[in-house]
């Protein structure tokens, strides 16, 4: 599998090279140059295999540059049973909810987040590819949501006893903004060590995701960092690594489904995907190209219905009323991988993509031609669901099955049931989710206990009450919480690049710029706690979307 940039197709490069770069030199997203097909025999080849055997087979199948014997060793090292369990990809106990509704989850791993899989695989691939004599300092950057931060930390902190990171150690940059609660900031600060970088954007209009995207997608700035010897990669964004990982997990889910419910091109399924990011959506696009029996891809979002509005009207605007909900990860204004998804939705027409990028940067919105919209309707749709219905669905599913689902899976089922009789007229549905309910403690506690709680005690109570998979990081968090937390470095959006350069400098003192950090209490006094009632979120509406130009 070779990769090309979404902005320039002059040269296709290998996965190895795309893996190191993360993004193309022109700031574009790397996407597969072409696909073969996963034959029926190829899909059946992973049936009956364990999770690790199937993952290793598909990794070697998609990336022939990694031989199967070596792929097996990489996968065993990346996904130790102590951290990922015996089978991290499974059908939920409530499956089948009825004869037409099927659910598969990927919730194993040290933090319980889908990122665990790509970050752990990336750690081992860095070791595998480091023999090329590279001296670059790799920096994994995360946009600061709790799930992203914990998964990044888990990839470095939760190695099995006796395990070691690759010699090509990746530094971590975790950038938080005002969406992070006081408790979350303290916890992340406590988990950082002297090799990591912690930044806290202390402006009301500063959004970590937008600020980092501005840094990543600007070719001039990427060259500037490369000259310093740093390769910046998005931990939670689109990358060749995350694409391959998401695609393998989805193929494995279908192979497991085939073992229980025969599938064919004549009897495809509707695939429901919670919109945590665009990674699984891209995997579904390419999975369908490879021959997975998918009739329609249905993206599910929360009350703010950003993606549903876009598919309905063809207009994507950042100037919109934005409500704070109990499912914030389903309602992101600029989900990771937007450019990659637009590239595919535009039929890989770079001129059209360039026009959309410029419009978003200059006008904070873009519109696609109606003819393009019509081309999506046969294979892509999007639904949204109100908080109260998602919470009610979560409680109903728990009462009937004694199993607690994450907010995204609950939103998918609530959307299906909202459609009533129409749902029974459709193909079978497969709900595919990849997040542990503990990652949104507020939602889970409200659904089960009917009260809003985000503290450590609430996580423990949910584990005990619901019998949840217990991510290894839960215990690691306890250990670090006892220590005196290091402080995050508060910066403004304008200072982000300058402070990042200071933090990554080899001359920095124990990972912190001297006298740069305010006491956490002082930083807290500048901020008000996030309000829980539904109201427009100024941090989102005030953010500046940057798909930067040269």
């Amino acid at each position: 599998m070779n990769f090309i940039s979404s902005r320039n197709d002059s040269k296709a490069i290998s996965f190895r090279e795309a893996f190191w770069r993360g993004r193309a030199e022109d700031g574009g997203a790397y996407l597969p140059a072409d696909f073969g097909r996963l034959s029926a025999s190829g899909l059946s080849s992973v049936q009956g295999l364990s999770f690790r055997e199937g993952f290793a087979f598909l990794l070697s199948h998609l990336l022939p540059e990694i031989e199967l014997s070596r792929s097996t060793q990489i996968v065993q090292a990346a996904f130790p049973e102590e951290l990922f369990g015996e089978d991290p990809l499974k059908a939920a106990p409530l499956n089948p909810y009825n004869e037409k509704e099927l659910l598969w989850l990927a919730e194993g791993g040290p933090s319980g987040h889908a990122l665990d899989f790509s970050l752990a695989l990336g750690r081992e691939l860095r070791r595998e590819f480091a023999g090329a004599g590279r001296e670059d300092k790799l920096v994994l950057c995360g946009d600061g949501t709790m799930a992203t931060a914990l998964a990044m930390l888990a990839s470095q902190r939760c190695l099995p006893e006796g395990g070691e990171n690759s010699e090509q150690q990746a530094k971590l940059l975790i950038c938080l903004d005002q969406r992070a609660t006081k408790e979350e900031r303290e916890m992340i600060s406590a988990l950082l060590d002297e090799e990591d970088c912690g930044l806290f954007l202390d402006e009301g209009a500063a959004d970590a995701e937008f600020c980092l995207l501005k840094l990543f997608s600007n070719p001039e700035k990427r060259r500037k960092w490369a000259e310093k010897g740093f390769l910046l990669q998005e931990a939670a964004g689109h990358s060749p690594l995350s694409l391959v990982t998401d695609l393998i997990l989805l193929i494995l889910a279908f192979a497991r489904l085939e073992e229980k419910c025969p599938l064919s091109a004549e009897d495809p399924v509707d695939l429901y995907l919670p919109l945590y990011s665009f990674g699984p959506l891209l995997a579904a696009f390419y999975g369908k190209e490879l021959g997975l029996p998918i009739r329609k891809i249905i993206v599910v979002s929360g009350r703010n219905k950003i993606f549903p509005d876009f598919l309905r009207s063809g207009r994507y605007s950042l100037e919109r009323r934005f409500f704070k909900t109990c499912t914030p990860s389903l309602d992101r204004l600029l989900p990771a991988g937007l450019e990659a998804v637009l590239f595919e939705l535009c039929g890989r027409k770079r001129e059209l993509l360039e026009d959309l990028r410029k419009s978003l940067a200059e006008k904070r919105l873009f519109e696609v031609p109606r003819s393009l919209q019509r081309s999506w309707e046969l294979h892509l749709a999007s639904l949204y669901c109100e908080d109260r219905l998602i919470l009610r669905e979560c409680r109903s599913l728990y009462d009937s099955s004694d199993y607690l689902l994450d907010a995204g899976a609950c939103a998918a089922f609530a959307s299906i049931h909202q459609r009533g009789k129409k749902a029974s007229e459709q193909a079978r549905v497969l709900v595919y989710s990849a997040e542990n309910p503990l990652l949104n403690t507020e939602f889970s506690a409200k659904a089960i206990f009917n009260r809003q709680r985000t503290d450590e005690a609430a996580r423990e109570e949910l584990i005990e009450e619901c019998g949840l998979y217990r991510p290894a990081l839960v215990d690691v968090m306890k250990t670090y919480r006892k220590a005196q937390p290091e402080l995050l470095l508060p910066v403004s959006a304008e200072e982000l690049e300058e402070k990042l350069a200071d933090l990554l400098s080899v001359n920095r003192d124990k990972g912190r710029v001297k006298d740069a950090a305010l006491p956490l209490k002082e930083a807290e006094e500048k901020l008000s706690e996030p309000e829980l009632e539904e109201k427009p979120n100024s941090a989102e509406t005030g953010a500046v979307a940057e798909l930067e130009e040269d």
Side-chain angles (χ1 to χ4, degrees):
M1 185 189 295
N2 290 324
F3 288 80
I4 55 172
S5 169
S6 58
R7 302 183 189 179
N8 189 329
D9 64 351
S10 60
K11 181 182 179 183
I13 63 175
S14 68
F15 171 79
R16 181 190 295 251
E17 188 61 30
F19 167 79
W20 279 118
R21 294 183 184 179
R23 270 184 178 265
E25 292 179 352
D26 56 21
Y30 274 128
L31 295 161
D34 53 57
F35 270 111
R37 284 187 70 81
L38 189 70
S39 64
S41 61
L43 189 59
S44 63
S45 296
V46 297
Q47 291 174 16
L49 298 181
S50 69
F51 167 78
R52 290 167 182 80
E53 290 170 340
F55 199 105
F57 174 84
L58 290 170
L59 182 63
S60 179
H61 181 88
L62 294 172
L63 306 174
E65 58 199 278
I66 303 177
E67 295 182 356
L68 180 57
S69 59
R70 188 65 191 126
S71 175
T72 300
Q73 295 172 346
I74 290 171
V75 169
Q76 291 291 343
F79 308 130
E81 195 167 316
E82 306 95 299
L83 298 180
F84 285 82
E86 183 179 350
D87 187 8
L89 184 68
K90 62 184 181 182
L94 58 85
N95 182 55
Y97 189 57
N98 66 40
E99 63 180 9
K100 285 196 172 185
E101 295 172 12
L102 307 162
L103 170 72
W104 290 84
L105 303 169
E107 62 171 18
S111 79
H113 191 275
L115 282 175
D116 286 335
F117 294 92
S118 62
L119 288 171
L121 180 63
R123 189 184 65 232
E124 296 306 316
L125 287 178
R126 287 197 299 275
R127 170 181 286 177
E128 176 71 10
F129 296 155
R134 305 192 69 100
E135 297 181 356
D136 310 283
K137 302 177 183 68
L138 185 65
V139 184
L140 287 174
C141 307
D143 62 19
T145 64
M146 188 63 170
T148 299
L150 289 181
M152 291 174 65
L153 290 162
S155 71
Q156 303 296 329
R157 303 284 176 272
C158 294
L159 293 172
E161 190 172 348
E164 297 178 355
N165 285 326
S166 67
E167 294 178 2
Q168 185 111 19
Q169 172 66 52
K171 295 182 182 296
L172 304 182
L173 165 66
I174 294 175
C175 189
L176 300 177
D177 56 36
Q178 290 201 51
R179 291 174 295 179
T181 66
K182 176 181 178 181
E183 184 205 22
E184 289 172 346
R185 290 196 293 273
E186 289 177 345
M187 182 182 296
I188 297 304
S189 183
L191 285 165
L192 292 171
D193 69 16
E194 63 183 29
E195 292 302 317
D196 301 327
C197 304
L199 298 171
F200 172 55
L201 297 179
D202 60 359
E203 292 182 339
D207 180 283
E209 185 176 12
F210 290 140
C211 290
L212 289 179
L213 180 60
K214 178 180 179 180
L215 183 63
F216 293 138
S217 60
N218 186 306
E220 193 60 43
K221 290 183 178 180
R222 290 184 66 80
R223 284 192 288 271
K224 177 181 174 183
W225 283 101
E227 288 170 2
K228 296 178 181 180
F230 291 109
L231 291 175
L232 302 184
Q233 288 189 7
E234 297 145 285
H238 169 81
S239 70
L241 171 65
S242 64
L243 172 60
V244 168
T245 306
D246 286 334
L247 182 55
I248 290 175
L249 289 173
L250 187 63
I251 294 172
L252 284 176
F254 270 85
R256 299 288 183 82
L257 185 60
E258 175 69 25
E259 294 173 9
K260 297 180 179 294
C261 309
L263 300 172
S264 67
E266 292 73 34
D267 185 23
V269 300
D270 283 346
L271 179 62
Y272 281 71
L273 298 172
L275 189 59
Y276 291 127
S277 73
F278 280 135
L281 177 57
L282 279 169
F285 283 164
Y286 300 138
K288 193 172 182 181
E289 286 287 319
L290 285 168
L292 292 182
I294 299 172
R295 188 185 77 97
K296 201 165 192 175
I297 302 166
I298 301 173
V299 178
V300 181
S301 72
R303 178 189 176 183
N304 287 291
K305 54 179 182 176
I306 298 165
F307 201 63
D309 282 351
F310 169 57
L311 289 189
R312 176 185 54 81
S313 67
R315 189 174 191 269
Y316 198 101
S317 174
L318 300 175
E319 299 289 351
R320 58 182 295 141
R321 196 177 186 194
F322 199 91
F323 294 97
K324 192 173 182 67
T325 71
C326 64
T327 56
S329 55
L330 295 176
D331 278 319
R332 306 180 74 174
L333 270 175
L334 200 63
L338 176 62
E339 180 171 339
V341 168
L342 286 177
F343 181 63
E344 298 299 346
L345 290 179
C346 291
R348 298 200 160 197
K349 296 175 181 175
R350 288 180 172 80
E351 297 81 5
L352 177 56
L353 176 64
E354 182 69 12
D355 291 342
L356 299 182
R357 287 180 51 247
K358 285 183 178 179
S359 180
L360 186 64
E362 297 169 2
K363 303 177 183 177
R364 298 173 58 80
L365 61 85
F366 61 78
E367 294 188 54
V368 299
R370 177 59 187 155
S371 58
L372 193 59
Q373 281 181 262
R374 286 195 293 268
S375 69
W376 305 339
E377 293 172 358
L378 292 176
H379 63 271
L380 181 63
S382 187
L383 302 172
Y384 74 95
C385 203
E386 299 280 351
D387 272 8
R388 60 183 178 81
L389 296 176
I390 302 175
L391 287 164
R392 187 172 69 188
E393 190 73 21
C394 182
R395 183 70 214 197
S396 174
L397 289 169
Y398 180 70
D399 288 342
S400 63
S401 65
D402 200 31
Y403 191 84
L404 178 62
L405 289 178
D406 68 280
C410 293
F413 278 120
S415 299
I416 293 168
H417 299 154
Q418 268 186 287
R419 299 170 72 188
K421 293 182 179 179
K422 290 183 180 179
S424 64
E425 299 168 1
Q426 304 299 324
R428 285 179 297 177
V429 301
L430 170 62
V431 176
Y432 176 78
S433 183
E435 185 168 292
N436 191 289
L438 290 177
L439 289 174
N440 189 344
T441 308
E442 179 183 342
F443 171 84
S444 299
K446 189 171 182 180
I448 302 304
F449 307 131
N450 198 28
R451 59 183 185 274
Q452 289 172 323
R453 297 178 57 188
T454 58
D455 56 10
E456 189 174 299
R459 281 188 289 275
E460 292 299 323
E461 193 172 349
L462 284 167
I463 290 173
E464 183 178 352
E465 167 70 23
C466 306
L468 295 177
Y469 166 79
R470 185 186 186 88
L473 198 64
V474 169
D475 295 319
V476 175
M477 285 191 295
K478 286 184 179 180
T479 303
Y480 276 79
R481 291 273 289 172
K482 294 175 184 176
Q484 178 68 31
E486 291 189 46
L487 300 179
L488 296 172
L489 174 63
V491 298
S492 68
E494 290 72 21
E495 295 173 321
L496 176 63
E497 188 174 357
E498 177 187 347
K499 294 302 181 186
L500 175 57
D502 289 340
L503 286 169
L504 294 177
S505 168
V506 294
N507 298 318
R508 61 194 176 90
D509 179 25
K510 291 186 179 181
R512 297 293 178 271
V513 179
K514 288 185 177 180
D515 304 322
L518 296 173
L520 189 60
K521 184 177 179 182
E522 237 180 272
E524 289 299 333
E525 289 175 355
K526 299 174 65 177
L527 303 166
S528 58
E529 285 297 314
E531 298 182 27
L532 295 176
E533 66 268 18
E534 292 184 343
K535 58 185 291 185
N537 185 334
S538 60
E540 292 282 7
T541 54
V544 177
E546 300 282 359
L547 291 178
E548 282 243 336
E549 309 303 311
D550 285 2

